[in-house]
């Protein structure tokens, strides 16, 4: 059962797990590249679909991103509990559902923000913050794609999911710091 | 079944993204200028301050554009709507000097001055107004904040009669200042500061500017507008 179909030589112990990562990583890289290239080539319109009730698109995006960042903290906490890394806390039966649904909602919150960024503003480099934000934004969706694609796979090394999950979490927090945190500290916290 | 849920999550997000992208395309007005062919053909005019621009109002679309280099124009005017469409912004770059005006047609409006170097704009105005952007031969894109309101924007090169206009007058000892942004689709937005010398002038909607004559009437006061034009340097 350790033989990899099509492999002529007996696979080493690492390759059977690593091979499973190749295609998801390639697709993730493709996602990140596609977003970045689209953001660079598409002429920003300055306008995109918006949500009523906020004072400006910047506030809409900042609050959506903040919601996603808070849920990302839930992701981190629930993942630590699931892996038994929190002392004296045994994983309750609903922790898996909490992790899944907080992740799904967080991801869906980021999509409108990303579309506004890509369509209205584009991949920009006029300051370090903006350049970092553009790069992190593309990488985040690539990393998230990898995480989703490898999640159902069996036989991965134990550290793979925590590593990719941690990367997704770190990227989202970096995106938030280079956008919503900057925005709130520059223009004030309001709706 | 259970194995596929992450994929469903991904596809749901992708579908949401596509829907929002299409919706955004539908709400974007198609009146933004698209004719860059004149500017892309690298014109040999290395004397961008030539007064030939004065005649450009007759045929703005075919006039040789104010773009001496491919990436960093030093004599050009840009204008368009800000993100969300709640107002307009105009930026005129003349050499390394830049003048910008942002206006929503009423209280949110600000004049800003600053420098244009290396493709980057940093500009400030009264009452904390500020603009940071990057510029190329096609567009200016960045953020502008005035009167506690912020906008992201990406606006394109415009030619006369589109662009930025200002008028100043003195009424009973107070300096009044008006600004208008005229867009390529003919729409305009303008505001009128009744006490322009104060630190945070309060503004109201400006009377309609007659672009052909360069005048606007506010009650019994006639305002004579002059263009703020990066190409000619008018208004700098």
């Amino acid at each position: 059962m350790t033989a990899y179909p099509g492999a002529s030589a007996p696979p080493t112990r690492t390759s059977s797990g690593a091979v499973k990562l190749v295609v998801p990583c390639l697709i993730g890289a493709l996602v990140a590249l596609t977003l970045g290239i689209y953001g660079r080539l598409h002429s920003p319109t300055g306008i995109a679909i918006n949500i009523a009730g906020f004072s400006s698109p910047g506030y809409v995006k900042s609050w959506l991103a903040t919601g996603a960042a808070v849920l990302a903290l839930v992701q981190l906490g629930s993942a630590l509990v699931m892996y038994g890394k929190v002392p004296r806390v045994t994983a309750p039966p609903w922790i898996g559902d909490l992790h899944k649904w907080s992740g799904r909602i967080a991801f869906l919150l980021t999509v409108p923000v990303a579309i506004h960024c890509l369509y209205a503003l584009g991949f920009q480099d006029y300051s370090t913050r903006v350049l970092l934000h553009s790069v992190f934004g593309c990488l985040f969706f690539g990393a998230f794609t990898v995480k989703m694609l490898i999640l159902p796979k069996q036989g991965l090394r134990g550290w793979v999911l925590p590593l990719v999950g941690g990367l997704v979490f770190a990227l989202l927090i970096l995106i938030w710091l280079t956008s919503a945190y900057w925005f709130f500290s520059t223009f004030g916290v309001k709706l | 079944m259970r194995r596929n849920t992450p994929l469903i999550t991904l596809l749901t997000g992708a579908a949401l993204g596509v829907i929002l992208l299409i919706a955004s395309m539908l709400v974007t007005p198609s009146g933004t200028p698209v004719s860059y062919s004149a500017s892309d053909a690298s014109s040999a005019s290395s004397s961008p301050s030539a007064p030939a621009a004065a005649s450009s109002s007759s045929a703005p679309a075919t006039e040789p554009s104010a773009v001496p280099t491919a990436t960093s124009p030093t004599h050009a005017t840009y204008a368009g709507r800000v993100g969300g469409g709640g107002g307009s912004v105009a930026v005129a770059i003349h050499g390394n000097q830049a003048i910008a005006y942002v206006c929503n047609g009423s209280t949110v409006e600000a004049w800003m001055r600053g420098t244009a170097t290396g493709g980057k704009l940093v500009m400030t105005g009264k009452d904390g107004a500020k603009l940071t952007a990057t510029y190329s031969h096609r567009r200016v894109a960045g953020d502008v904040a005035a009167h506690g309101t912020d906008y992201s924007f990406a606006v394109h090169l415009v030619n006369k009669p589109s662009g930025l206009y200002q008028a100043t007058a003195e009424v009973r000892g107070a300096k009044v200042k008006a600004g208008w942004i005229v867009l390529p689709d003919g729409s305009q937005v303008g505001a009128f500061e009744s006490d322009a010398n104060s630190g945070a002038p309060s503004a109201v909607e400006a009377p309609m500017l007659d672009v052909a004559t360069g005048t606007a009437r506010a009650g019994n006061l006639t305002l004579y507008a002059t263009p703020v034009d990066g190409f000619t340097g008018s208004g700098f």
Side-chain angles (χ1 to χ4, degrees), chain A residues 11-58:
Chain A
T12 60
R13 267 165 17 105
T14 50
S15 74
S16 64
V19 159
K20 291 188 169 77
L21 299 179
V22 171
V23 171
C25 286
L26 284 177
I27 294 174
L30 204 63
V31 168
L33 272 177
T34 304
L35 295 179
I37 291 170
Y38 174 82
R40 193 66 183 166
L41 294 184
H42 172 72
S43 187
T45 59
I47 298 177
I49 191 133
N50 200 9
I51 299 173
F54 290 92
S55 45
S56 78

Side-chain angles (χ1 to χ4, degrees), chain B residues 184-210:
Chain B
D185 63 8
S187 66
Q188 63 170 262
V189 62
F192 186 75
E193 297 173 359
S194 52
D195 188 5
N197 283 335
S198 70
S202 62
V204 295
E205 184 174 2
M208 189 78 175
L209 174 69
D210 184 341

Side-chain angles (χ1 to χ4, degrees), chain B residues 67-75 78 117-120 135-137:
Chain B
V67 183
T69 65
T71 52
S72 282
T74 49
H75 301 80
Y78 309 80
T117 46
K120 291 184 173 62
Y135 68 94
S136 70
H137 69 293

